[in-house]
Amino acid sequence: QVQLVQSGAEVKKPGASVKVSCKASGYTFTSYGISWVRQAPGQGLEWMGWISAYNGNTNYAQKLQGRVTMTTDTSTSTAYMELRSLRSDDTAVYYCAISTGGSDAFDIWGQGTMVTVSS
Amino acid sequence: SYELTQPLSVSVALGQTARITCGGNNIGSKNVHWYQQKPGQAPVLVIYRDSNRPSGIPERFSGSNSGNTATLTISRAQAGDEADYYCQVWDSSPVVFGGGTKLTVL
């Protein structure tokens, strides 16, 4: 079945970078773009950006422009999200998600990766 | 930027009908999706394109969208429906989520 499996929890110091992976299985990786969504503790969902797994085109949320980079490795069917210059308010669970049904809704989600930014 | 407004919380008696609203400027012209999220879990899609249920979602879940308000309706509410619910649209941002509504089943 279609599945997204993310890398494990990370603890980082302020100013550092983090790179979270999202390994896809059960479908042709280049068929769907991958979005990244984060959720700070006790808060709502925040869309971070999207990458086309077909050609690598990206679209980032304006507030993260310059600090986030999304990439893919088609040889391993894995997407990556790197966030730089980490701050305490970047502490959140980070999810990858795809839309497979042609409706633009996110019907498959990764399990989430907790990133804690603390000195 | 486009904004979606949801009530912070909604309560419903067991077996009754819960309605969760999502307000936005002319939201009726957009496709609205709804997600259910239980503590410690990833969100799950429960309604897509205003009123369509993915496979595996009970018929008790339904949606509508008109004017400036989209609504998620949960009929015959069960204890297992207690969760946070988020609406979402694609816009120029391009993806926008509502702030989320905590549904409590009494």
Side-chain angles (χ1 to χ4, degrees), chain A residues 19-48:
Chain A
K19 192 169 186 177
V20 178
S21 68
C22 171
K23 183 170 177 59
S25 62
Y27 71 97
T28 300
F29 181 67
T30 52
S31 295
Y32 308 116
I34 295 173
S35 279
W36 289 87
V37 176
R38 70 179 180 177
Q39 185 173 37
Q43 302 301 309
L45 302 172
E46 178 187 14
W47 181 81
M48 300 177 67

Side-chain angles (χ1 to χ4, degrees), chain A residues 35 37 39 43-47 50 59-62 95 101-107 109-112, chain B residues 31 33 35 37 40-45 47-49 84 86 88 90 93-100:
Chain A
S35 279
V37 176
Q39 185 173 37
Q43 302 301 309
L45 302 172
E46 178 187 14
W47 181 81
W50 170 91
N59 189 342
Y60 301 140
Q62 192 168 8
Y95 296 100
S103 71
D104 295 336
F106 301 124
D107 52 359
W109 293 68
Q111 84 275 20
Chain B
N31 289 318
H33 313 306
Y35 303 88
Q37 186 182 33
Q41 298 182 18
V44 172
L45 180 67
I47 292 289
Y48 66 93
R49 287 189 177 173
D84 294 327
Y86 295 90
Q88 178 247 313
W90 284 78
S93 300
V95 174
V96 181
F97 287 98

